[in-house]
Amino acid sequence: MKHHLLEICYLIGSVTFIIGMKMMGNAKTARKGNLIGATGMIIAILGTIFLYNKTIVNEQGFEQPYKIPTLIYGLIFGAIALGTVIGWMTAKKVQMTKMPELVSMFNGMGGACAALIGLMEFEHYPGQVGPLIPIIAGLVIGSVSFSGSIIAYLKLNGTMNKPIRLPAYNIINTVVMIGVFGFASWIVYAASADGGSLWGMLKDGTGAPVMSGSAAMMLYLLFAAALVYGILFTVPIGGADMPVVISLLNSFTGLAAAFGGFLYDNYVMLTGGILVGSAGTLLTLEMCKAMNRPLSNVIFGAFGGGGATTGGPDVKGSIKDVQVSDLAVMMNYSKKVVIVPGYGLAVAQAQHVIHELEMILEERGVEVKYAIHPVAGRMPGHMNVLLAESNVAYEKLVEMDDINPEFEQTDVVLIVGANDVVNPAAKSDPSSPIYGMPILEVDRAKNVIVNKRSMNAGYAGIDNLLFYDPKCSMFFGDAKKALTELVAELKTME
């Protein structure tokens, strides 16, 4: 009876994961979808704790029911409560600018859990190739995801703000990768040959093989090697590619969790892992497509870590700035305004002010839309989440392919904190690192206003040719302060 109830719990969990992920594809239903998925996870966890048939092998070699001591239940729920409190408080306090770092850290914790499962379960399956394969695969992939996510976290928070370029690092990484997977394959073979040769001749009280010290050493060496590869894999990658790396590492964690599902014959763990792994992989490929770069170029290119390339042959003309009074007049008498949000908007926490600006303009008959580039911000969907936080209507968020044809009929484009995603060098300068990347074609609009704190280069570390366009004016200042002044100026024109 318990077994059937547990299967029902797992079925409910799997279905809610799928429904929740589907609902998260729309900003209006994303919050509800997240809650539905979380509810399914709670059901699966409680079902596993209370309904799983727990058995042990007695001295005669037969399985018998095992009753978990009350203390163990206390430790389990104590750990769940502690993790819930830490996760809740961290998520509540994190600023939107720090959200990519939080995602990277949480993803790393998922990889660490998969690796720990491998470390703990390895000794329980001597001579059994079937379980050993997912154990070792989960250990390696989880370890890579953990250490890689930690490096991504350090890059995003500025601790490691420049990529580290080792001599011939592509060759080094390839050799280490082949070595790790070769070592893992050897361990599976050695642990399964002749009933588990890695375990030696040691036996426990029931006569079952016991893992020897050398086997334990090999296992931890593999764990350390996988951690090192995760570091080497992520360290050279430039900051501009961190959103892609986070998504890729997220798919690794999902894959590691799926291997855990194979190991435990746990359908909900398998379903969740497959969903995370496949979604992360598809998102990674979509972002690479949005940048017009193959995944191999992201991984091996280390793009986005150098300094700005200013004063090149394509950088011609001078920049001009605009005063808040002139900008207010320009926007007040426009028919159509398109706002391009970027990471600078998130840094300044100006999403509420920009929504107020939108409402004022619409009250005066101005059509206002937001142009969203697929890789704007520091993680996929960063700008969508940021604007949804200030109650911007989802219908006003227009994707790049849909908004580009509208720029020619746009009176004013207001760019707030975005840089590389509007750089015309992607279309006109074959020598530019971002050449070929699809961009928001804001230079086709009648007037372009760029709000930035300074002339510093964007995350890709290259100069922006848009700033020298005769139709472009710079609106310098912190986004929140500058937009607040603009809103105040517009209110005086009532």
Side-chain angles (χ1 to χ4, degrees):
M1 181 64 180
K2 280 188 175 183
H3 176 73
H4 295 302
L5 289 175
L6 181 60
E7 293 298 315
I8 292 173
C9 289
Y10 286 169
L11 177 61
I12 293 173
S14 298
V15 171
T16 55
F17 291 169
I18 296 171
I19 294 174
M21 181 167 288
K22 175 65 176 177
M23 295 178 71
M24 283 190 280
N26 188 309
K28 287 184 176 180
T29 58
R31 181 181 179 86
K32 186 181 294 183
N34 196 24
L35 293 174
I36 289 175
T39 301
M41 178 63 75
I42 292 172
I43 292 172
I45 291 173
L46 294 178
T48 301
I49 293 173
F50 292 111
L51 299 176
Y52 186 78
N53 290 321
K54 308 159 192 67
T55 60
I56 59 172
V57 179
N58 59 25
E59 294 181 358
Q60 288 75 37
F62 298 103
E63 289 188 352
Q64 66 181 35
Y66 174 69
K67 184 177 180 181
I68 295 180
T70 304
L71 176 62
I72 300 300
Y73 280 114
L75 292 174
I76 291 174
F77 283 103
I80 291 175
L82 179 62
T84 300
V85 171
I86 294 174
W88 180 276
M89 293 179 63
T90 303
K92 289 289 287 184
K93 290 182 178 180
V94 68
Q95 296 179 350
M96 189 55 64
T97 52
K98 302 295 183 181
M99 190 62 72
E101 299 167 32
L102 182 67
V103 170
S104 185
M105 179 61 73
F106 280 178
N107 181 67
M109 295 303 102
C113 289
L116 289 175
I117 287 175
L119 291 175
M120 292 186 297
E121 295 293 348
F122 182 75
E123 64 178 310
H124 297 151
Y125 296 92
Q128 302 179 49
V129 178
L132 286 175
I133 291 176
I135 286 173
I136 294 299
L139 170 64
V140 171
I141 298 173
S143 301
V144 171
S145 178
F146 169 64
S147 58
S149 295
I150 297 303
I151 296 298
Y153 168 82
L154 295 175
K155 283 176 171 286
L156 288 167
N157 71 9
T159 304
M160 296 180 63
N161 55 7
K162 291 184 179 180
I164 299 174
R165 306 281 293 187
L166 299 173
Y169 82 96
N170 283 339
I171 297 176
I172 295 173
N173 281 4
T174 302
V175 170
V176 173
M177 179 184 69
I178 295 174
V180 168
F181 284 104
F183 189 22
S185 301
W186 176 83
I187 287 182
V188 172
Y189 169 77
S192 59
D194 301 322
S197 60
L198 265 184
W199 274 258
M201 301 302 294
L202 301 175
K203 308 287 183 180
D204 64 10
T206 65
V210 177
M211 185 168 64
S212 65
S214 61
M217 183 179 69
M218 293 295 104
L219 182 66
Y220 283 101
L221 278 177
L222 176 63
F223 174 55
L227 290 176
V228 169
Y229 176 68
I231 295 172
L232 293 175
F233 169 79
T234 313
V235 160
I237 298 177
D241 290 325
M242 273 302 111
V244 181
V245 175
I246 291 174
S247 182
L248 182 61
L249 292 172
N250 188 59
S251 69
F252 287 175
T253 299
L255 184 59
F259 279 118
F262 278 116
L263 173 64
Y264 294 124
D265 198 23
N266 187 311
Y267 299 130
V268 73
M269 194 173 181
L270 182 61
T271 302
I274 290 174
L275 287 173
V276 172
S278 58
T281 301
L282 289 172
L283 187 57
T284 300
L285 296 176
E286 283 297 314
M287 285 191 291
C288 289
K289 181 181 177 182
M291 296 189 297
N292 195 34
R293 297 170 61 209
L295 181 59
S296 59
N297 183 262
V298 173
I299 295 174
F300 300 116
F303 161 61
T309 56
T310 58
D314 291 322
V315 179
K316 299 177 180 179
S318 58
I319 65 167
K320 59 181 179 180
D321 58 1
V322 62
Q323 300 301 312
V324 64
S325 56
D326 297 329
L327 178 56
V329 171
M330 185 188 302
M331 299 189 78
N332 190 65
Y333 293 101
S334 296
K335 292 182 179 180
K336 184 173 183 177
V337 171
V338 174
I339 300 171
V340 179
Y343 185 65
L345 179 70
V347 171
Q349 290 290 287
Q351 63 270 32
H352 300 288
V353 181
I354 208 165
H355 180 44
E356 184 180 3
L357 171 64
E358 168 210 328
M359 291 189 295
I360 291 175
L361 292 175
E362 286 191 331
E363 287 174 359
R364 300 179 185 183
V366 181
E367 181 186 3
V368 181
K369 293 184 178 180
Y370 295 83
I372 307 298
H373 193 280
V375 294
R378 293 296 183 269
M379 72 176 188
H382 196 176
M383 295 300 102
N384 302 66
V385 175
L386 183 72
L387 294 171
E389 185 182 20
S390 61
N391 297 317
V392 172
Y394 183 71
E395 293 77 14
K396 295 184 181 297
L397 309 182
V398 187
E399 298 297 329
M400 175 182 64
D401 292 338
D402 297 323
I403 198 67
N404 274 343
E406 298 187 26
F407 281 124
E408 288 186 353
Q409 292 78 43
T410 301
D411 296 300
V412 178
V413 171
L414 175 61
I415 301 169
V416 185
N419 201 322
D420 304 313
V421 297
V422 295
N423 192 341
K427 298 186 301 178
S428 61
D429 184 5
S431 65
S432 173
I434 64 171
Y435 182 71
M437 182 181 87
I439 60 168
L440 293 166
E441 298 171 358
V442 297
D443 54 332
R444 296 164 58 184
K446 298 174 184 177
N447 297 281
V448 180
I449 308 298
V450 180
N451 171 237
K452 280 175 62 70
R453 287 179 294 183
S454 68
M455 286 294 293
N456 289 340
Y459 212 38
I462 57 177
D463 200 14
N464 193 337
L465 302 186
L466 178 68
F467 302 161
Y468 306 92
D469 190 307
K471 294 188 293 184
C472 179
S473 299
M474 306 300 296
F475 184 40
F476 289 112
D478 173 79
K480 188 172 185 178
K481 182 176 181 295
L483 292 174
T484 300
E485 292 175 355
L486 177 59
V487 167
E489 188 70 22
L490 280 167
K491 288 180 178 179
T492 65
M493 301 174 65
E494 292 179 342

